[in-house]
Amino acid sequence: MNLLWRSKLGTPQGTRGPKQRVSVDEVIRAGIAVADDDGLPAFSMRKVADRLGLKLMSIYTYVPGRSELIGLMVDEVIGEIPHPPHPDGPLRDRLAGVARHQWDELHRHPWLLQVESSRPWIGPHGCDRYEWQLQAIEGYGLTDLEMDQVITMVCDFTAGSARTSILARRTTEESGITDLEWWEANAPVLERVMPPGAYPLAGRVGTVAGQEYNAVGDPARSFRFGLDRLLDGVETLLRRTAT
Amino acid sequence: MNLLWRSKLGTPQGTRGPKQRVSVDEVIRAGIAVADDDGLPAFSMRKVADRLGLKLMSIYTYVPGRSELIGLMVDEVIGEIPHPPHPDGPLRDRLAGVARHQWDELHRHPWLLQVESSRPWIGPHGCDRYEWQLQAIEGYGLTDLEMDQVITMVCDFTAGSARTSILARRTTEESGITDLEWWEANAPVLERVMPPGAYPLAGRVGTVAGQEYNAVGDPARSFRFGLDRLLDGVETLLRRTAT
DNA sequence: ACGATTTTCCGTAAGGCATACGGAGTTAAG
DNA sequence: CTTAACTCCGTATGCCTTACGGAAAATCGT
């Protein structure tokens, strides 16, 4: 907690002993670089140390442990790109901006969705984020509770959609083959194994979708489509509230 | 792949050598039990072996490795509860059934959202699932592409919302304290550290939401709220398509 | 009936991980 | 100039997956 809010707190420590060779912020940035490159499961304290020219155990003089470092990395990343001011105009466009900001962030740092902390880290940038999200939706006639719920909905949908997108991207990157190549390679097996006519709808829709996407799916397009429907739903709520 | 579709394939092997002491299905079920108890990061081949009364390396005579076993566990879990027939009536109710089915499943097996296979396992139950989801939405005037996109949207939102819910549940379970206790314990720190007046909206809305939820959030309620808005959006799409 | 072959079960070892503990050396305070 | 505090890091413990090879069991072919 003190580490998270370190920018707002002085460093009250006595200054005895050798100077630290790097700073907490450098450790955090090194950690982000490792996670960006290798993903969270392969994120290790040793790799962070290597990247800083330190030995493994020295890292523990900067942060208490692995999970705390990850918590710091999350808040750092949230503050990475300044929140743009919300456009004047319909709520729809403002919420779309909030959603896209998160979508881009999750794609820039795919390991964010792999973070499963059992403690809620509330850092300065996380607070800024929530405040900014609420600014987007305030003043359109919704109650405080509804405002919170709409933000939650937009974020949850964005997270779910981004998860699908990131998984798909990782699949093609790591396996080295495209959707289509995989499908063509496995088609004979599937044809032998699937009872003919057992999946009439899946076959028909899958074929149409596959031709349209030129792949098994098009996550960015699915995100835009879903977000449009979601925002239609919010406008319905606005109209209902107005009466 | 052969293991995934083993129910549709015979066992073409010669039968020499000692009998297997357990079956592949028992290994899968043991794996599910371990993952249910401990989560995927703590899921280990040794625990599966222990649960079956075998030694570690014997498991590798049933399945090729850890990730393949997890792929089998996923398809097994998808087939765990038979898909109920869709109710006659508005599309809204049918899609709500699809979403709730997945919501319940994810909460029954929270490790599902921790699975990040780099290969798309297409198993028999996964195919059944997709076919069943499409049955829900067919016949309401949407194109094949729209049908696929609406299903994707509902599933993505449900996954994102369930993720929030499961994380919150795990937090209270593992830390042993409730949202409120945590908040009360950390309030003094936060008050000292947050510039007063820096978060006017977050403070106001957070307080209102906290009082209403009796916690930091109410994920099940957020899910219902978001799903309602989402389905409002689908109905808007239906009306627009009808004209 | 009796090798040959196949298959299962498992011991060992290699190489990865987090982190507890304690020691050596460095710096500033008193 | 002593002493206390602090950084860096070597070592050790106890997890993890999985490659490899050996021993025993069960059936096949003769």
Side-chain angles (χ1 to χ4, degrees):
Chain A
M1 212 60 178
N2 289 340
L3 272 172
L4 259 178
W5 292 87
R6 67 198 179 286
S7 59
K8 310 278 193 268
L9 297 164
T11 47
Q13 309 279 20
T15 53
R16 251 184 277 204
K19 295 277 176 288
Q20 297 194 137
R21 298 198 192 154
V22 298
S23 66
V24 175
D25 290 85
E26 283 176 277
V27 172
I28 295 171
R29 277 194 287 272
I32 292 171
V34 171
D36 284 347
D37 286 353
D38 301 348
L40 213 58
F43 168 88
S44 76
M45 298 300 264
R46 168 155 273 128
K47 287 179 185 166
V48 176
D50 286 349
R51 203 173 274 256
L52 291 168
L54 296 177
K55 293 301 169 60
L56 169 60
M57 288 312 294
S58 305
I59 301 299
Y60 288 89
T61 63
Y62 295 85
V63 293
R66 181 187 141 99
S67 67
E68 287 85 354
L69 174 53
I70 293 174
L72 293 168
M73 286 158 54
V74 170
D75 197 69
E76 180 76 15
V77 154
I78 292 176
E80 187 177 44
I81 292 198
H83 295 128
H86 303 292
D88 291 339
L91 176 58
R92 180 181 199 94
D93 297 339
R94 295 175 154 232
L95 289 178
V98 169
R100 179 149 300 277
H101 190 88
Q102 192 189 344
W103 170 271
D104 291 342
E105 177 176 277
L106 292 173
H107 281 79
R108 211 161 44 240
H109 303 292
W111 49 270
L112 281 172
L113 286 174
Q114 299 174 317
V115 176
E116 313 213 347
S117 165
S118 71
R119 199 166 309 281
W121 304 108
I122 302 206
H125 296 131
C127 289
D128 290 347
R129 168 68 50 90
Y130 185 46
E131 182 75 15
W132 175 74
Q133 289 169 335
L134 288 173
Q135 280 169 6
I137 200 176
E138 155 131 288
Y140 287 83
L142 297 178
T143 66
D144 285 354
L145 194 63
E146 285 170 330
M147 286 166 55
D148 183 73
Q149 287 176 319
V150 168
I151 293 294
T152 300
M153 166 181 72
V154 169
C155 291
D156 282 347
F157 169 72
T158 303
S161 190
R163 182 175 181 271
T164 305
S165 171
I166 289 165
L167 250 55
R169 192 176 71 182
R170 220 182 342 243
T171 298
T172 59
E173 274 175 11
E174 286 181 11
S175 68
I177 59 173
T178 66
D179 268 14
L180 242 43
E181 286 167 351
W182 185 92
W183 200 258
E184 280 165 14
N186 284 79
V189 186
L190 287 175
E191 272 174 24
R192 196 163 52 79
V193 106
M194 288 163 84
Y199 304 107
L201 283 175
R204 194 189 81 204
V205 174
T207 304
V208 169
Q211 286 171 353
E212 177 73 18
Y213 298 145
N214 251 344
V216 169
D218 183 339
R221 185 169 167 181
S222 296
F223 172 61
R224 288 194 301 271
F225 176 88
L227 187 60
D228 273 346
R229 302 290 77 72
L230 203 70
L231 296 178
D232 285 348
V234 173
E235 289 184 342
T236 302
L237 176 69
L238 277 187
R239 271 195 306 275
R240 205 175 290 154
T241 305
T243 64
Chain B
M1 211 59 180
N2 288 340
L3 271 173
L4 260 178
W5 293 88
R6 66 198 181 286
S7 58
K8 309 278 193 268
L9 297 164
T11 48
Q13 312 278 22
T15 53
R16 250 185 278 207
K19 295 276 177 289
Q20 297 194 139
R21 297 198 192 156
V22 298
S23 66
V24 175
D25 289 85
E26 283 176 277
V27 172
I28 296 171
R29 277 193 289 271
I32 293 170
V34 170
D36 284 347
D37 287 353
D38 302 347
L40 212 58
F43 168 88
S44 77
M45 299 299 263
R46 168 154 274 129
K47 286 178 185 167
V48 176
D50 285 350
R51 203 173 273 257
L52 292 168
L54 296 177
K55 293 302 170 62
L56 169 60
M57 288 313 293
S58 305
I59 301 300
Y60 288 87
T61 63
Y62 294 85
V63 294
R66 181 185 201 266
S67 68
E68 288 85 354
L69 174 52
I70 293 174
L72 293 167
M73 285 159 53
V74 170
D75 197 70
E76 180 76 15
V77 153
I78 292 176
E80 188 177 44
I81 293 199
H83 295 127
H86 302 293
D88 291 340
L91 177 58
R92 183 181 196 93
D93 297 339
R94 295 175 153 232
L95 288 178
V98 168
R100 180 148 299 279
H101 190 87
Q102 193 189 343
W103 171 271
D104 291 342
E105 179 176 274
L106 292 173
H107 281 79
R108 213 163 39 241
H109 304 291
W111 49 270
L112 282 172
L113 285 175
Q114 299 174 316
V115 175
E116 313 214 346
S117 166
S118 71
R119 199 166 307 283
W121 305 107
I122 302 206
H125 295 130
C127 289
D128 291 348
R129 167 68 51 90
Y130 186 45
E131 182 75 18
W132 175 75
Q133 290 170 334
L134 288 173
Q135 280 169 7
I137 201 177
E138 154 133 287
Y140 286 82
L142 298 177
T143 66
D144 284 354
L145 195 63
E146 286 170 330
M147 286 166 55
D148 182 72
Q149 287 176 318
V150 169
I151 293 294
T152 300
M153 166 182 70
V154 169
C155 291
D156 282 347
F157 169 72
T158 302
S161 189
R163 181 173 181 273
T164 305
S165 170
I166 289 164
L167 250 56
R169 192 177 70 183
R170 221 184 339 245
T171 297
T172 60
E173 275 176 9
E174 286 181 10
S175 67
I177 59 172
T178 66
D179 268 14
L180 243 44
E181 286 166 351
W182 185 92
W183 201 258
E184 281 165 13
N186 284 78
V189 186
L190 287 176
E191 273 174 25
R192 196 164 52 82
V193 107
M194 287 162 85
Y199 304 108
L201 283 175
R204 194 189 80 204
V205 175
T207 304
V208 169
Q211 286 172 353
E212 176 73 19
Y213 298 146
N214 250 343
V216 170
D218 183 341
R221 184 169 168 181
S222 297
F223 172 61
R224 287 194 301 272
F225 177 88
L227 187 60
D228 272 346
R229 301 290 78 70
L230 203 71
L231 296 178
D232 285 348
V234 173
E235 288 183 343
T236 302
L237 176 70
L238 277 186
R239 271 196 305 276
R240 205 175 291 154
T241 305
T243 64

